[in-house]
Structure formats: C-alpha cells, structure tokens
Amino acid sequence: MKLFDKFFLQKASFTESDLPVITLLYDRLPIVDEVRLKKVLSEIEPSPQLKPQVSIEKDFNDGGVLLAEASFGNHLVEIIGIQAPVPKDVIERCILPSHWAADIKELMQSHRGNVVLCYAGSDPDPVEQYLALYKVAAGLRDDNVVGVLNEAAWSCHPAPIIEKLISPDLIQVCRDSPPLIFWTGFLIIETDEGFWFFTKGYHLFGLRELVMFSGQPEDVQKVIEIFNELFYYFFFEKPEVQTGDVLGLNENQFFEFHEPAEGNPLPESATGYFLIQ
C-alpha cells in the first residue's frame, strides 16, 4: 500500500479530481474496526460476488492518522484520515457558501479531524463510484461524524444523508436520478452587471460544467431547474453538443451553448464551461 506517499508526500488535491472523492468530517478520528466495515459492506445490497476485503496499515490506525483500503466487487476505495481540520480554503469553498442552515454549517466547521474516501476501482459508472464511497462511509460512520465534504463539487451535506442515500428505498432512486443536491454544487457570483450561476462537479459524470447569467437574483430556482434538466439529458441521452449548437428540451425551452468569454468571473474547471443562453 503506497497511500502514505500518494496522499501525504505528494499532497494530492481533490478539487479537480477525475473520480469521486468525499471527505468525512469528524470531531474525533476513528479507529477503524475491520470486522464492522466488512460486515456493513456485505449487508448493503448483498451478493456473493462482493467478497469485501479491508486492508489497514496497522501503524496508521491509532486515532491520529488512518490509512486503509476497502474493496468489494469491482470497487476499491482508498481511506486516508488525519486528526486535523481540512484547510481553510476548502471550508471557504465547500461549507461557507452552502445553502444549509447556519447551525448545520457551524457544526461542520467545528470538525477536528477528517477522513478522505477516494474511488480507485474499475467500475466506469460515476453513480456506482459514488455509491461505493457512501457504502464505505456507512461502515466508518459513528457519532463523531459531523458532515461530508465534496471538494470537486464545492459542496457539503449533513452526516445523516450517508445512510439515506444507500438505504433500500433510495439506492435505486440514485441510479435512476442522481441526487445532484448532494453530488454537485450550485454557486452564485454577484457582479455589478448581475448574477452568474454555475455548476461544480458535473465533470465527475463526464460532462462540462454549465453557467448562466441573469440580472435577476430571483431567477435562482429557475436556473437550478434548467441545470438539472440539462444534466439528466446529457448524462442519460449523451447527445453530441458543440459550441454554437441549439438544444430544445421541449417545445418551449431552447438553449444555445457557447464558450464563456474571457473575463467571465468563473472558477477554473477541468472540463471547461458551457455558457447557456
């Protein structure tokens, strides 16, 4: 296992990761129970093909540092933890601008340790990759988990969402309709001219990020709905869309796609943005 070199010596960045990565925020870093983690992975969607395996670096499972791997089926999840808060810039990107209530954001900011779960398996489906991370998260979750960060999506959510997404009632719903509120980010930049609305995390699904401009702040909900519709259309139908193309989702909604002009106030993206007009 070369996790120490990969994540501590090379100082990996997760902001533009090509594969899903989530970070569990802890009040106190856990000591991983190998038996419990394997049991949880065996019981979620049980199958004889799963054969969960957990490998833990015994010198790095002491409540201060954690290095481990969990594999099941064609999934492999790397587990890296440290008894320290995430960097300040990550909090500023993922927690502070989020749309959760102030007390939830305050709880997440109060964390003192973090465990990063990185997908490193061979399943090509990003939805299955995400679900694999949440299955491992369920096996690691305890009362000390105060929230979940998604650096690539510039987003976060409360800890109880972990079990909900992989519950028997919702796991198939996630496959049919990926929960964008948890796996992608929606951000707003205000300028003198108006408001720029943009997505983060679409690149993990093989899509370009989207951006729209509006002079009206009350357009937020309308823009979210447009982004969601376009995501599902792109992800499931996989149309070939090029700059300058016009796409009609229905007889009343037509969108033209452009490259954003230089000077548009947009964060960097691994896949670039489509400006929707």
Side-chain angles (χ1 to χ4, degrees):
M1 189 185 295
K2 299 181 180 179
L3 291 181
F4 188 90
D5 291 346
K6 181 176 180 180
F7 291 99
F8 289 102
L9 298 184
Q10 297 179 17
K11 297 181 180 179
S13 172
F14 309 117
T15 304
E16 296 293 353
S17 173
D18 294 328
L19 296 170
V21 177
I22 61 174
T23 302
L24 309 183
L25 304 178
Y26 283 82
D27 181 49
R28 184 173 67 253
L29 206 69
I31 295 177
V32 174
D33 184 335
E34 177 180 338
V35 174
R36 176 178 181 268
L37 179 51
K38 290 174 68 173
K39 182 174 184 292
V40 171
L41 294 175
S42 297
E43 292 175 346
I44 303 171
E45 298 190 296
S47 167
Q49 284 76 41
L50 288 182
K51 299 179 181 178
Q53 299 294 323
V54 175
S55 173
I56 301 173
E57 287 282 2
K58 299 189 183 303
D59 293 335
F60 297 99
N61 186 28
D62 58 5
V65 180
L66 171 63
L67 292 176
E69 291 180 340
S71 62
F72 49 103
N74 58 352
H75 301 302
L76 173 65
V77 176
E78 297 172 331
I79 305 167
I80 312 96
I82 187 170
Q83 184 60 33
V86 300
K88 182 180 178 182
D89 63 316
V90 175
I91 293 175
E92 292 174 346
R93 280 198 307 270
C94 300
I95 298 179
L96 297 184
S98 71
H99 306 294
W100 299 104
D103 59 334
I104 294 176
K105 292 196 285 187
E106 184 176 350
L107 178 63
M108 286 192 273
Q109 288 180 72
S110 73
H111 75 281
R112 294 182 291 180
N114 73 91
V115 173
V116 179
L117 305 182
C118 302
Y119 189 81
S122 60
D123 196 307
D125 187 340
V127 173
E128 297 302 330
Q129 295 170 4
Y130 261 119
L131 291 176
L133 295 184
Y134 278 79
K135 290 175 182 179
V136 173
L140 297 177
R141 178 149 136 73
D142 60 22
D143 293 339
N144 288 299
V145 180
V146 298
V148 178
L149 287 185
N150 186 330
E151 286 192 48
W154 291 33
S155 65
C156 62
H157 64 70
I161 301 299
I162 295 171
E163 285 83 4
K164 290 183 179 179
L165 290 183
I166 57 169
S167 67
D169 294 336
L170 284 183
I171 195 165
Q172 188 56 47
V173 174
C174 290
R175 292 183 170 114
D176 295 336
S177 181
L180 302 186
I181 190 174
F182 305 126
W183 293 352
T184 65
F186 174 82
L187 294 101
I188 304 171
I189 293 179
E190 182 177 1
T191 67
D192 292 339
E193 292 76 28
F195 297 84
W196 291 89
F197 305 103
F198 62 96
T199 69
K200 292 297 291 184
Y202 279 29
H203 72 279
L204 294 171
F205 296 87
L207 309 178
R208 290 181 65 167
E209 307 291 352
L210 303 178
V211 58
M212 289 186 72
F213 175 82
S214 174
Q216 307 299 322
E218 60 268 21
D219 285 343
V220 169
Q221 190 56 44
K222 181 177 72 174
V223 174
I224 290 175
E225 292 172 0
I226 291 172
F227 283 169
N228 287 354
E229 285 192 58
L230 289 173
F231 173 93
Y232 292 125
Y233 180 71
F234 287 151
F235 183 64
F236 289 110
E237 301 298 329
K238 296 179 173 47
E240 292 289 335
V241 178
Q242 306 295 328
T243 299
D245 286 353
V246 176
L247 177 67
L249 293 180
N250 55 54
E251 60 183 15
N252 298 315
Q253 282 188 310
F254 292 88
F255 302 101
E256 189 170 347
F257 296 86
H258 298 275
E259 300 291 335
E262 287 189 20
N264 289 156
L266 303 173
E268 292 184 4
S269 168
T271 56
Y273 287 89
F274 260 143
L275 175 64
I276 306 170
Q277 294 179 326

